[in-house]
Amino acid sequence: MKIFLDTASIESIKKFVDMGIVDGITTNPTLISREKGHPEDIMREIVKIVKGPVNLEVVATKTEEMVEEGLRLKKFGENVIVKVPMTSDGLKAVRKLDENKIKTNVTLIFSSNQALLAAKAGASYVSPFIGRLDDAGQEGMTVIKEIVQIFGNYGYSSEVLVASVRHPIHVIEAGKLGAHIVTLPPDILGKMMNHPLTDKGLALFLSDWEKVKKEHKYTI
Ligand code: G3P
């Protein structure tokens, strides 16, 4: 299962990339609006730091402008994936970008029907927003289950990128269902890493080792 980081924070990206646990990045206009600095500098910097796919979102809403913006974003680096919203103009842009050999990620997906259409249009990734579905009183993970099953039944090559993840249990559920990727805000990746028994266990090992050192006048 691949783990992407859902952030435009250079500091967070560097921190987790150094651990070797980040396969790619997703950004969106909201995430970029939270950072200081010029948006284009931020995007270029992320593309430089990360070896894997970096998803940069278009803000145009008409097909031709989306394609133009996508072609411009792609110039930031080979690893750029153009994120396009799930609209009829967006699907047409996906088709055109695909013809230009540019990979796309269709975002703002809230149903398995939308995911199916995005896959048919040629999206490399589809991004269902499960947390926002949960917030609206609809089981987000059911949509993941349906999409994974439909893509499997018909051999669609689009990868299911689980977005709007709210807690570590979402990650386990997505993994059990066979979703290809989860994209996580940095705090959730941090929560996945920590366990109080790990901290307690390490503290005990270290204090026991202090006793060994004292008893044997051992310095290591
Ligand atoms: O990348 C988009 C998605 O993950 C947004 O999540 O928390 O704004 O619903 P959220």
Side-chain angles (χ1 to χ4, degrees), residues 165-182:
V165 171
R166 297 272 197 264
H167 48 72
I169 303 292
H170 271 155
V171 180
I172 295 168
E173 287 170 350
K176 288 198 308 200
L177 291 172
H180 304 87
I181 307 160
V182 281

Side-chain angles (χ1 to χ4, degrees), residues 6 26-28 31 34 83 107 129 131-132 135 163-166 183 185:
D6 197 25
T26 51
T27 65
N28 63 39
L31 292 173
R34 289 183 192 148
K83 235 173 141 184
T107 188
F129 278 28
R132 292 193 197 182
D135 292 345
S164 186
V165 171
R166 297 272 197 264
T183 189

Side-chain angles (χ1 to χ4, degrees), residues 7 42 45 49 68 78 91 102 108-109 116 121 141 144 159 162 186 193-194 200-201 219:
T7 186
I42 295 170
E45 178 76 8
I49 300 170
E68 224 170 87
E78 250 325 292
L91 292 186
I102 292 176
L108 289 167
I109 286 187
L116 173 60
M141 216 39 85
I144 302 302
E159 294 189 60
V162 179
M193 206 173 301
N194 300 325
K200 198 177 160 194
T219 50

Side-chain angles (χ1 to χ4, degrees), residues 100-211:
N100 282 284
K101 309 248 178 300
I102 292 176
K103 289 187 176 179
T104 55
N105 171 0
V106 175
T107 188
L108 289 167
I109 286 187
F110 293 95
S111 74
S112 41
N113 278 331
Q114 288 180 317
L116 173 60
L117 298 180
K120 286 188 77 72
S124 298
Y125 304 91
V126 298
S127 292
F129 278 28
I130 56 165
R132 292 193 197 182
L133 280 168
D134 287 353
D135 292 345
Q138 193 185 331
E139 184 70 68
M141 216 39 85
T142 304
V143 174
I144 302 302
K145 190 176 182 180
E146 289 171 356
I147 299 170
V148 170
Q149 188 180 351
I150 293 167
F151 284 11
N153 285 349
Y154 297 97
Y156 286 109
S157 58
S158 315
E159 294 189 60
V160 181
L161 194 164
V162 179
S164 186
V165 171
R166 297 272 197 264
H167 48 72
I169 303 292
H170 271 155
V171 180
I172 295 168
E173 287 170 350
K176 288 198 308 200
L177 291 172
H180 304 87
I181 307 160
V182 281
T183 189
L184 309 177
D187 68 310
I188 295 181
L189 194 48
K191 283 181 187 166
M192 280 172 69
M193 206 173 301
N194 300 325
H195 196 289
L197 290 177
T198 304
D199 299 340
K200 198 177 160 194
L202 181 58
L204 182 62
F205 284 158
L206 295 178
S207 71
D208 285 343
W209 194 247
E210 283 305 315
K211 289 181 212 156

